Amino acid sequence: MRLMDYFLFQQYLKEFTVIEESTTCFEVFLQADKSNTHVTEESSLPDIDIDDFLQRSGRFERKAHKNASGIRLILQRNVVDRETFEPKRLSMQKGTYQKIIREMHLPFSWIETSSAVGPFFWYGIASDSQSSYIQIIYRKSDVKKKATPRNWELVLSFDVSTGITSGFFKGTSRSDIAMCLDCLKNCVAEIEHPMFLPLLIFSYDADSKEDKRLRDNRERVRILEGDITRAAHIFKDEDFTKRDTVNLAQMNSDLVDCHKEVLWKRPEGYLAILHSMGQALSGFKEVCPSERKEQLEATHCILERRLKMLKAKLEGISTHRQVTISRLELIERVLQNLVSLSIFRQEQQMKLGKLRRQQTAKMEKSWDQERRDMHQAQNEFENMVEARKQTAIGFLGALFLPGTFLASVFSTSFFDFQAGSAAGIISKKVWIYWAFTLPITIVLLALLAFWQRWLHRLGKKRDAQLRVAEAEGKREREMLTQSLRNIDLHEIA
């Protein structure tokens, strides 16, 4: 199995990119009788000193004897490059990385966790000819933010025979590394347990800020419930104009933001981490030698109590969160109904607007037709008046035309009224003039009168047609106006 891990390690290592970060070291030791402790302040660890630190030689040699337990860490805190926690990235040279894994007995599978998402915890037990080692990987490095994210990575190996915990600890400025180191300095009696540092990191990650965030989210839920209740009452009111005062878009935005905050840092994931930590505690108790088990019994009980307390706390948070999510889902369903009503109203407004435009177009067309009819009627009336003027002139001409015409005819050489004995006196045959003139004039006047009467009847018929057309146009306009009024009332509804 170790051969497979080593083979995969070599394959993955070729694909990694190096982004070097500043490296330091930290050591804390506890004497066998617990009467004396030795704490080394965090100091710089250049590449030339890494071999001495790993082999406990050079300036680190003085701490290599008479130590019952302790913790030795290579640190990279306050990492600068944002790409440091990206998959397939190393924050040290590949050769140094391999030395650390070999000398500290860290798991080769560490390299495969660089792309792990969410809080990740793993433990395993490895053995060689010298001792057994409890190996731990604990990290959370998938957060990407514009500001500094809260990413960290911890890899430990506890030597069962010596009681020394060795490891690598890397994190950003918001990863609580400084507080963890202060706690290690002040709780030296408990550092002999390999689960002390992982549980310490977990405690900082699940601090009281999360409780306050959940309380704030619950208050936001109450505000949303009040807003959505008022909106539901407004939509139920018969006065549909009040709906315009409801900002559904803002409610939806607040709902999404609140839901996002509630879903952040799911307690179920952290409960799974605690479950794995509980298994690690049980596994450590099984492999720990009997002489060391008695020394660690008190620390083990303390860590078990803390584990139970954190589990109870997270279970309460999980219940609280589920209630909050249920209330948010209820708000979401009500909001969806209100949005559906609003969308339906908008669709109705669009349909009614289209119908209104069609009715308005019909009305305008009717008005245009009526204006054309009126204009045509006006032209016909003017033509009729002009015709009657011509008729009057023709009447006068018809009145005098026969006499004039006959007088001209009788004055020709065909008639000689001066012949005979009565020459110079009105001829006795003058009746002939009137005998022709009067009948012809009467006939022409009769034809003229008939023609005038016919024009009069034609004018009355056209006037009746215009009145009918005007009445129909007025009725159609009234119908269109009523239709538009109904559209407006429906739109308000």
Side-chain angles (χ1 to χ4, degrees):
M1 185 65 179
R2 294 185 61 190
L3 291 176
M4 184 183 72
D5 289 344
Y6 182 72
F7 176 78
L8 292 175
F9 171 78
Q10 293 294 334
Q11 293 297 318
Y12 282 119
L13 188 62
K14 297 176 183 178
E15 302 174 2
F16 274 62
T17 302
V18 175
I19 302 175
E20 291 195 72
E21 295 284 351
S22 176
T23 305
T24 59
C25 61
F26 175 80
E27 293 179 306
V28 179
F29 294 101
L30 178 66
Q31 299 298 329
D33 56 0
K34 298 187 179 181
S35 61
N36 187 23
T37 61
H38 187 93
V39 179
T40 301
E41 294 296 330
E42 182 181 1
S43 60
S44 177
L45 187 65
D47 291 341
I48 58 174
D49 291 340
I50 287 182
D51 290 337
D52 291 341
F53 181 81
L54 294 176
Q55 298 172 9
R56 302 180 69 183
S57 60
R59 64 185 177 105
F60 305 101
E61 184 177 5
R62 61 182 180 274
K63 310 177 190 65
H65 58 280
K66 297 181 181 180
N67 293 318
S69 59
I71 185 168
R72 308 178 71 243
L73 295 175
I74 295 177
L75 302 173
Q76 287 184 343
R77 64 170 175 168
N78 303 333
V79 295
V80 178
D81 200 305
R82 294 175 58 88
E83 301 293 323
T84 302
F85 285 97
E86 290 295 311
K88 297 185 178 181
R89 298 291 190 277
L90 289 179
S91 55
M92 62 184 73
Q93 293 295 329
K94 294 182 180 181
T96 304
Y97 186 68
Q98 295 185 71
K99 289 179 184 178
I100 291 175
I101 291 178
R102 287 196 186 94
E103 298 296 332
M104 288 187 168
H105 304 284
L106 300 179
F108 285 108
S109 56
W110 171 22
I111 196 171
E112 300 179 47
T113 64
S114 65
S115 58
V117 295
F120 176 86
F121 180 85
W122 171 89
Y123 92 99
I125 300 175
S127 302
D128 59 15
S129 58
Q130 298 178 355
S131 179
S132 296
Y133 307 94
I134 296 179
Q135 298 172 335
I136 296 172
I137 302 175
Y138 187 25
R139 63 178 292 147
K140 188 178 76 170
S141 58
D142 62 332
V143 180
K144 288 186 177 182
K145 293 183 178 179
K146 293 182 179 179
T148 304
R150 196 165 184 259
N151 295 334
W152 41 265
E153 179 181 47
L154 174 68
V155 186
L156 297 177
S157 177
F158 176 76
D159 191 332
V160 175
S161 61
T162 63
I164 299 294
T165 301
S166 304
F168 174 79
F169 195 6
K170 177 176 70 172
T172 61
S173 57
R174 296 181 61 243
S175 59
D176 303 323
I177 291 183
M179 291 188 290
C180 290
L181 296 181
D182 289 338
C183 188
L184 288 175
K185 295 175 185 178
N186 292 280
C187 303
V188 178
E190 299 172 2
I191 64 171
E192 54 189 345
H193 201 291
M195 287 299 298
F196 176 77
L197 184 55
L199 265 174
L200 178 62
I201 297 174
F202 188 95
S203 299
Y204 279 124
D205 196 27
D207 60 4
S208 59
K209 295 179 182 178
E210 293 304 307
D211 300 336
K212 183 179 183 306
R213 185 176 64 83
L214 291 172
R215 290 172 179 268
D216 293 341
N217 287 332
R218 180 63 67 86
E219 183 62 28
R220 293 179 65 183
V221 170
R222 294 192 188 98
I223 295 173
L224 278 172
E225 286 175 338
D227 293 341
I228 205 71
T229 301
R230 285 189 293 272
H233 287 307
I234 290 175
F235 271 71
K236 188 178 178 181
D237 198 305
E238 294 182 357
D239 187 359
F240 297 101
T241 58
K242 293 182 180 180
R243 295 184 181 182
D244 295 333
T245 62
V246 179
N247 191 346
L248 295 179
Q250 184 61 43
M251 289 184 188
N252 184 65
S253 176
D254 294 340
L255 177 63
V256 171
D257 187 59
C258 186
H259 213 148
K260 177 192 68 176
E261 289 293 326
V262 172
L263 293 177
W264 189 52
K265 296 188 74 169
R266 295 176 63 250
E268 291 79 10
Y270 286 87
L271 284 170
I273 294 292
L274 285 181
H275 179 71
S276 298
M277 288 185 173
Q279 292 179 338
L281 283 173
S282 301
F284 169 74
K285 199 169 184 179
E286 292 177 0
V287 301
C288 185
S290 56
E291 66 276 6
R292 190 173 296 279
K293 188 180 297 184
E294 295 178 359
Q295 299 175 3
L296 296 176
E297 185 64 29
T299 303
H300 195 84
C301 291
I302 292 173
L303 296 182
E304 283 184 337
R305 288 199 302 270
R306 170 157 291 276
L307 195 68
K308 292 179 180 179
M309 183 274 294
L310 291 171
K311 183 178 180 181
K313 178 181 177 182
L314 286 172
E315 287 175 348
I317 290 176
S318 179
T319 302
H320 185 279
R321 177 176 171 274
Q322 288 299 326
V323 173
T324 303
I325 290 176
S326 299
R327 293 170 69 174
L328 286 172
E329 289 175 349
L330 177 60
I331 294 173
E332 182 180 3
R333 287 195 294 269
V334 176
L335 183 60
Q336 286 177 349
N337 292 335
L338 297 181
V339 170
S340 298
L341 289 174
S342 179
I343 293 175
F344 176 75
R345 185 188 177 195
Q346 292 177 1
E347 291 177 350
Q348 290 297 109
Q349 286 178 340
M350 293 175 62
K351 292 179 181 178
L352 293 175
K354 182 178 180 180
L355 182 59
R356 178 193 292 174
R357 290 191 296 271
Q358 292 176 351
Q359 296 291 348
T360 303
K362 289 181 180 180
M363 184 177 289
E364 291 178 352
K365 184 178 180 180
S366 175
W367 287 343
D368 292 340
Q369 184 63 35
E370 185 176 350
R371 284 193 293 268
R372 286 195 296 270
D373 293 342
M374 292 296 293
H375 183 69
Q376 183 178 358
Q378 182 68 25
N379 291 337
E380 291 178 354
F381 177 75
E382 292 176 357
N383 292 335
M384 186 179 64
V385 171
E386 186 66 24
R388 290 187 177 183
K389 290 180 180 179
Q390 297 296 330
T391 301
I393 295 174
F395 173 75
L396 294 177
L399 182 63
F400 295 100
L401 181 60
T404 304
F405 175 74
L406 293 174
S408 299
V409 171
F410 288 149
S411 66
T412 62
S413 58
F414 293 101
F415 301 92
D416 185 10
F417 294 99
Q418 295 179 359
S421 58
I425 304 173
I426 297 174
S427 175
K428 293 179 181 181
K429 298 179 179 180
V430 72
W431 60 269
I432 297 173
Y433 171 79
W434 296 108
F436 283 93
T437 299
L438 291 176
I440 292 174
T441 300
I442 291 171
V443 170
L444 290 176
L445 290 175
L447 292 174
L448 181 61
F450 175 77
W451 183 60
Q452 289 286 350
R453 188 175 179 181
W454 178 77
L455 288 177
H456 183 66
R457 285 200 305 269
L458 183 61
K460 284 185 176 182
K461 184 178 180 180
R462 291 182 177 178
D463 291 340
Q465 291 176 348
L466 289 175
R467 285 193 295 272
V468 171
E470 184 177 358
E472 290 179 354
K474 182 177 180 181
R475 184 167 57 255
E476 186 176 356
R477 287 196 302 275
E478 290 177 352
M479 292 175 62
L480 290 174
T481 303
Q482 183 63 32
S483 177
L484 290 175
R485 189 179 296 111
N486 293 336
I487 291 174
D488 292 335
L489 292 174
H490 195 282
E491 182 178 358
I492 292 174

